[in-house]
Amino acid sequence: MGKNRDLADTKTSKFLSYILRHQPESIGLTLDSEGWADIGVLIKCAARHGKQLNWALIENIVETNDKKRFALSVDQLRIRAVQGHSTQRVDIRYQEKTPPDTLYHGTATRFLDSIFKQGLAAGTRHYVHLSADKTTATKVGARHGKVIILKIDARLMNEQGFKFHQADNGVWLTKTVPVKYISIISHL
């Protein structure tokens, strides 16, 4: 039963990520500018599209998601993805924060040529995602192929006027990372 439950939770988490980060309109849901969705409305919209959700399941996903991708509002009536949005309706106003001296970005070796020509760009998302530790960067990079870890000179970037923010789940965010701030630290 545990394995089936884990699989169901993973599918629900992926569904919530898709809806709350990228395509809320695919089920008729509207997010506010900070990415919040009313949980009752989310449950109804999901049901109309064949996906059964309930308060307990949503709360469990928020509490147990290993990447802490979701947050509940203080009153527990709304949910949002804490970062990773591609929908233009959402523009979370993260507070600017001074980053650690070094941040990391996990990627696949096949992206290196592009990265060392153009730097790291947000692409369809609002921000480039960076990690404070190599372990997290390695996990992120592993999703894309043969992993490589890039070291980002965040201190110098910050000193030279680049803004950094940190999402509720600890992910560091910035609009772009020019090539001159990137070095390769490991091939795994």
Side-chain angles (χ1 to χ4, degrees), residues 3 14 23 31 34 39 49 54-55 57 59 65 76 78 80 112 115 124 130 132 138-139 145-146 156 169:
K3 195 170 194 172
K14 286 182 179 186
Q23 293 289 325
L31 306 178
E34 290 288 312
I39 294 174
H49 287 82
N54 60 54
W55 291 83
L57 176 60
E59 185 177 49
N65 184 269
Q76 306 284 298
R78 299 177 299 150
R80 76 173 176 187
L112 283 181
I115 290 169
T124 60
L130 303 170
T138 300
K139 288 178 186 174
K146 187 174 181 203
L156 185 58
N169 62 354

mmCIF file of all heavy atoms in Angstrom, residues 3 14 23 31 34 39 49 54-55 57 59 65 76 78 80 112 115 124 130 132 138-139 145-146 156 169:
data_model
loop_
_atom_site.group_PDB
_atom_site.id
_atom_site.type_symbol
_atom_site.label_atom_id
_atom_site.label_comp_id
_atom_site.label_asym_id
_atom_site.label_seq_id
_atom_site.Cartn_x
_atom_site.Cartn_y
_atom_site.Cartn_z
ATOM 1 N N LYS A 3 3.785 1.884 -1.376
ATOM 2 C CA LYS A 3 4.327 2.198 -2.697
ATOM 3 C C LYS A 3 3.259 2.836 -3.585
ATOM 4 O O LYS A 3 3.522 3.796 -4.297
ATOM 5 C CB LYS A 3 4.892 0.937 -3.342
ATOM 6 C CG LYS A 3 5.762 1.209 -4.519
ATOM 7 C CD LYS A 3 6.480 -0.051 -4.955
ATOM 8 C CE LYS A 3 7.582 0.325 -5.907
ATOM 9 N NZ LYS A 3 8.445 -0.777 -6.233
ATOM 10 N N LYS A 14 3.100 16.333 -9.080
ATOM 11 C CA LYS A 14 3.385 16.758 -10.459
ATOM 12 C C LYS A 14 2.200 17.526 -11.039
ATOM 13 O O LYS A 14 2.386 18.535 -11.732
ATOM 14 C CB LYS A 14 3.742 15.555 -11.336
ATOM 15 C CG LYS A 14 5.117 15.020 -11.038
ATOM 16 C CD LYS A 14 5.465 13.858 -11.942
ATOM 17 C CE LYS A 14 6.875 13.374 -11.625
ATOM 18 N NZ LYS A 14 7.326 12.349 -12.561
ATOM 19 N N GLN A 23 0.238 26.103 -15.952
ATOM 20 C CA GLN A 23 -1.002 26.128 -16.728
ATOM 21 C C GLN A 23 -2.264 26.067 -15.874
ATOM 22 O O GLN A 23 -3.078 25.148 -16.019
ATOM 23 C CB GLN A 23 -1.013 24.958 -17.710
ATOM 24 C CG GLN A 23 0.020 25.039 -18.804
ATOM 25 C CD GLN A 23 -0.298 26.116 -19.820
ATOM 26 O OE1 GLN A 23 -1.459 26.366 -20.137
ATOM 27 N NE2 GLN A 23 0.728 26.767 -20.325
ATOM 28 N N LEU A 31 -4.975 32.157 -10.842
ATOM 29 C CA LEU A 31 -4.074 32.474 -9.749
ATOM 30 C C LEU A 31 -3.999 33.987 -9.605
ATOM 31 O O LEU A 31 -4.098 34.711 -10.599
ATOM 32 C CB LEU A 31 -2.662 31.947 -10.036
ATOM 33 C CG LEU A 31 -2.516 30.469 -10.384
ATOM 34 C CD1 LEU A 31 -1.053 30.141 -10.672
ATOM 35 C CD2 LEU A 31 -3.041 29.593 -9.257
ATOM 36 N N GLU A 34 0.411 36.892 -6.939
ATOM 37 C CA GLU A 34 1.401 36.273 -6.064
ATOM 38 C C GLU A 34 1.374 34.743 -6.165
ATOM 39 O O GLU A 34 2.045 34.056 -5.402
ATOM 40 C CB GLU A 34 1.182 36.709 -4.614
ATOM 41 C CG GLU A 34 1.521 38.166 -4.360
ATOM 42 C CD GLU A 34 3.031 38.444 -4.384
ATOM 43 O OE1 GLU A 34 3.787 37.703 -3.741
ATOM 44 O OE2 GLU A 34 3.433 39.406 -5.059
ATOM 45 N N ILE A 39 -8.029 26.979 -2.379
ATOM 46 C CA ILE A 39 -7.999 25.507 -2.373
ATOM 47 C C ILE A 39 -9.356 24.922 -2.745
ATOM 48 O O ILE A 39 -9.429 23.942 -3.503
ATOM 49 C CB ILE A 39 -7.500 24.968 -1.019
ATOM 50 C CG1 ILE A 39 -6.033 25.353 -0.825
ATOM 51 C CG2 ILE A 39 -7.674 23.448 -0.935
ATOM 52 C CD1 ILE A 39 -5.459 25.003 0.540
ATOM 53 N N HIS A 49 -12.052 18.198 -14.255
ATOM 54 C CA HIS A 49 -11.111 17.693 -15.256
ATOM 55 C C HIS A 49 -10.570 16.311 -14.888
ATOM 56 O O HIS A 49 -9.501 15.902 -15.341
ATOM 57 C CB HIS A 49 -9.980 18.706 -15.452
ATOM 58 C CG HIS A 49 -10.430 19.907 -16.199
ATOM 59 N ND1 HIS A 49 -11.088 20.953 -15.597
ATOM 60 C CD2 HIS A 49 -10.374 20.200 -17.512
ATOM 61 C CE1 HIS A 49 -11.389 21.857 -16.499
ATOM 62 N NE2 HIS A 49 -10.979 21.422 -17.671
ATOM 63 N N ASN A 54 -8.460 16.544 -2.376
ATOM 64 C CA ASN A 54 -9.188 16.939 -1.175
ATOM 65 C C ASN A 54 -8.214 17.687 -0.275
ATOM 66 O O ASN A 54 -7.009 17.695 -0.515
ATOM 67 C CB ASN A 54 -9.833 15.735 -0.476
ATOM 68 C CG ASN A 54 -8.817 14.704 -0.046
ATOM 69 O OD1 ASN A 54 -7.851 15.013 0.646
ATOM 70 N ND2 ASN A 54 -9.032 13.458 -0.473
ATOM 71 N N TRP A 55 -8.747 18.318 0.766
ATOM 72 C CA TRP A 55 -7.921 19.131 1.659
ATOM 73 C C TRP A 55 -6.786 18.318 2.277
ATOM 74 O O TRP A 55 -5.654 18.777 2.341
ATOM 75 C CB TRP A 55 -8.785 19.743 2.764
ATOM 76 C CG TRP A 55 -9.719 20.790 2.258
ATOM 77 C CD1 TRP A 55 -10.945 20.588 1.692
ATOM 78 C CD2 TRP A 55 -9.500 22.199 2.228
ATOM 79 N NE1 TRP A 55 -11.506 21.792 1.321
ATOM 80 C CE2 TRP A 55 -10.641 22.798 1.652
ATOM 81 C CE3 TRP A 55 -8.458 23.015 2.649
ATOM 82 C CZ2 TRP A 55 -10.759 24.161 1.481
ATOM 83 C CZ3 TRP A 55 -8.588 24.381 2.481
ATOM 84 C CH2 TRP A 55 -9.725 24.941 1.900
ATOM 85 N N LEU A 57 -5.292 15.557 1.259
ATOM 86 C CA LEU A 57 -4.282 15.189 0.275
ATOM 87 C C LEU A 57 -3.388 16.390 -0.045
ATOM 88 O O LEU A 57 -2.162 16.280 -0.078
ATOM 89 C CB LEU A 57 -4.948 14.663 -1.002
ATOM 90 C CG LEU A 57 -4.021 14.314 -2.169
ATOM 91 C CD1 LEU A 57 -3.021 13.238 -1.769
ATOM 92 C CD2 LEU A 57 -4.844 13.868 -3.367
ATOM 93 N N GLU A 59 -2.840 19.055 1.796
ATOM 94 C CA GLU A 59 -2.033 19.365 2.972
ATOM 95 C C GLU A 59 -0.865 18.384 3.103
ATOM 96 O O GLU A 59 0.275 18.781 3.397
ATOM 97 C CB GLU A 59 -2.897 19.325 4.228
ATOM 98 C CG GLU A 59 -2.151 19.754 5.470
ATOM 99 C CD GLU A 59 -3.056 19.783 6.690
ATOM 100 O OE1 GLU A 59 -3.772 18.790 6.932
ATOM 101 O OE2 GLU A 59 -3.041 20.815 7.384
ATOM 102 N N ASN A 65 6.396 17.189 0.560
ATOM 103 C CA ASN A 65 7.163 17.385 -0.674
ATOM 104 C C ASN A 65 8.620 17.660 -0.328
ATOM 105 O O ASN A 65 8.923 18.616 0.381
ATOM 106 C CB ASN A 65 6.562 18.528 -1.496
ATOM 107 C CG ASN A 65 7.277 18.690 -2.818
ATOM 108 O OD1 ASN A 65 8.222 19.447 -2.918
ATOM 109 N ND2 ASN A 65 6.814 17.955 -3.814
ATOM 110 N N GLN A 76 -4.686 28.875 5.775
ATOM 111 C CA GLN A 76 -4.820 27.517 5.220
ATOM 112 C C GLN A 76 -5.893 27.405 4.134
ATOM 113 O O GLN A 76 -6.323 26.294 3.814
ATOM 114 C CB GLN A 76 -5.116 26.497 6.330
ATOM 115 C CG GLN A 76 -4.120 26.513 7.478
ATOM 116 C CD GLN A 76 -2.806 25.851 7.123
ATOM 117 O OE1 GLN A 76 -2.767 24.675 6.822
ATOM 118 N NE2 GLN A 76 -1.724 26.615 7.151
ATOM 119 N N ARG A 78 -5.535 28.938 0.987
ATOM 120 C CA ARG A 78 -4.942 29.090 -0.337
ATOM 121 C C ARG A 78 -3.621 28.325 -0.416
ATOM 122 O O ARG A 78 -2.982 28.054 0.592
ATOM 123 C CB ARG A 78 -4.696 30.575 -0.646
ATOM 124 C CG ARG A 78 -5.981 31.378 -0.654
ATOM 125 C CD ARG A 78 -5.765 32.865 -0.894
ATOM 126 N NE ARG A 78 -4.927 33.404 0.175
ATOM 127 C CZ ARG A 78 -4.090 34.435 0.019
ATOM 128 N NH1 ARG A 78 -4.006 35.047 -1.137
ATOM 129 N NH2 ARG A 78 -3.367 34.869 1.022
ATOM 130 N N ARG A 80 0.056 27.879 -3.089
ATOM 131 C CA ARG A 80 0.815 28.350 -4.244
ATOM 132 C C ARG A 80 2.101 27.548 -4.367
ATOM 133 O O ARG A 80 2.575 26.944 -3.406
ATOM 134 C CB ARG A 80 1.136 29.836 -4.144
ATOM 135 C CG ARG A 80 2.243 30.187 -3.182
ATOM 136 C CD ARG A 80 2.590 31.660 -3.301
ATOM 137 N NE ARG A 80 3.594 32.046 -2.316
ATOM 138 C CZ ARG A 80 3.975 33.281 -2.124
ATOM 139 N NH1 ARG A 80 3.419 34.264 -2.821
ATOM 140 N NH2 ARG A 80 4.896 33.571 -1.238
ATOM 141 N N LEU A 112 26.266 22.642 -21.882
ATOM 142 C CA LEU A 112 27.431 23.480 -21.585
ATOM 143 C C LEU A 112 27.777 24.476 -22.693
ATOM 144 O O LEU A 112 28.101 25.634 -22.403
ATOM 145 C CB LEU A 112 28.652 22.618 -21.278
ATOM 146 C CG LEU A 112 28.675 22.005 -19.891
ATOM 147 C CD1 LEU A 112 29.947 21.198 -19.685
ATOM 148 C CD2 LEU A 112 28.541 23.057 -18.817
ATOM 149 N N ILE A 115 25.438 27.345 -22.434
ATOM 150 C CA ILE A 115 25.660 28.095 -21.192
ATOM 151 C C ILE A 115 26.907 28.973 -21.314
ATOM 152 O O ILE A 115 26.897 30.139 -20.927
ATOM 153 C CB ILE A 115 25.758 27.153 -19.974
ATOM 154 C CG1 ILE A 115 24.382 26.553 -19.675
ATOM 155 C CG2 ILE A 115 26.324 27.880 -18.752
ATOM 156 C CD1 ILE A 115 24.397 25.422 -18.660
ATOM 157 N N THR A 124 11.771 30.031 -20.060
ATOM 158 C CA THR A 124 10.336 30.277 -19.925
ATOM 159 C C THR A 124 9.935 30.594 -18.487
ATOM 160 O O THR A 124 8.817 31.032 -18.242
ATOM 161 C CB THR A 124 9.517 29.054 -20.394
ATOM 162 O OG1 THR A 124 9.871 27.925 -19.596
ATOM 163 C CG2 THR A 124 9.772 28.760 -21.859
ATOM 164 N N LEU A 130 19.144 28.611 -8.447
ATOM 165 C CA LEU A 130 20.473 28.267 -7.952
ATOM 166 C C LEU A 130 20.356 27.627 -6.578
ATOM 167 O O LEU A 130 19.407 27.900 -5.840
ATOM 168 C CB LEU A 130 21.343 29.529 -7.875
ATOM 169 C CG LEU A 130 21.502 30.303 -9.192
ATOM 170 C CD1 LEU A 130 22.171 31.644 -8.942
ATOM 171 C CD2 LEU A 130 22.276 29.484 -10.206
ATOM 172 N N ALA A 132 22.289 26.516 -2.788
ATOM 173 C CA ALA A 132 23.339 26.898 -1.841
ATOM 174 C C ALA A 132 24.318 25.753 -1.604
ATOM 175 O O ALA A 132 25.370 25.960 -1.006
ATOM 176 C CB ALA A 132 22.718 27.345 -0.522
ATOM 177 N N THR A 138 23.289 18.802 -7.663
ATOM 178 C CA THR A 138 23.490 17.501 -8.310
ATOM 179 C C THR A 138 22.152 16.822 -8.579
ATOM 180 O O THR A 138 21.923 16.277 -9.669
ATOM 181 C CB THR A 138 24.385 16.593 -7.430
ATOM 182 O OG1 THR A 138 25.645 17.243 -7.248
ATOM 183 C CG2 THR A 138 24.592 15.236 -8.071
ATOM 184 N N LYS A 139 21.242 16.863 -7.607
ATOM 185 C CA LYS A 139 19.913 16.263 -7.794
ATOM 186 C C LYS A 139 19.160 16.946 -8.934
ATOM 187 O O LYS A 139 18.510 16.287 -9.743
ATOM 188 C CB LYS A 139 19.096 16.358 -6.504
ATOM 189 C CG LYS A 139 19.563 15.438 -5.414
ATOM 190 C CD LYS A 139 18.738 15.634 -4.151
ATOM 191 C CE LYS A 139 19.288 14.825 -3.004
ATOM 192 N NZ LYS A 139 18.580 15.107 -1.753
ATOM 193 N N GLY A 145 20.227 14.611 -17.494
ATOM 194 C CA GLY A 145 21.235 13.809 -18.191
ATOM 195 C C GLY A 145 22.501 13.703 -17.360
ATOM 196 O O GLY A 145 22.462 13.785 -16.128
ATOM 197 N N LYS A 146 23.645 13.560 -18.035
ATOM 198 C CA LYS A 146 24.929 13.456 -17.341
ATOM 199 C C LYS A 146 25.198 14.782 -16.623
ATOM 200 O O LYS A 146 25.286 15.832 -17.240
ATOM 201 C CB LYS A 146 26.048 13.137 -18.315
ATOM 202 C CG LYS A 146 27.341 12.869 -17.613
ATOM 203 C CD LYS A 146 28.437 12.417 -18.547
ATOM 204 C CE LYS A 146 29.677 12.170 -17.692
ATOM 205 N NZ LYS A 146 30.877 12.248 -18.461
ATOM 206 N N LEU A 156 30.393 38.303 -6.168
ATOM 207 C CA LEU A 156 30.810 39.283 -7.172
ATOM 208 C C LEU A 156 29.607 39.787 -7.973
ATOM 209 O O LEU A 156 29.492 40.987 -8.236
ATOM 210 C CB LEU A 156 31.874 38.690 -8.096
ATOM 211 C CG LEU A 156 32.479 39.651 -9.124
ATOM 212 C CD1 LEU A 156 33.111 40.860 -8.438
ATOM 213 C CD2 LEU A 156 33.501 38.913 -9.975
ATOM 214 N N ASN A 169 11.379 27.913 -0.133
ATOM 215 C CA ASN A 169 11.977 26.583 -0.019
ATOM 216 C C ASN A 169 13.506 26.613 -0.060
ATOM 217 O O ASN A 169 14.141 25.573 -0.120
ATOM 218 C CB ASN A 169 11.428 25.648 -1.093
ATOM 219 C CG ASN A 169 11.757 26.110 -2.493
ATOM 220 O OD1 ASN A 169 12.310 27.193 -2.700
ATOM 221 N ND2 ASN A 169 11.394 25.302 -3.475
#
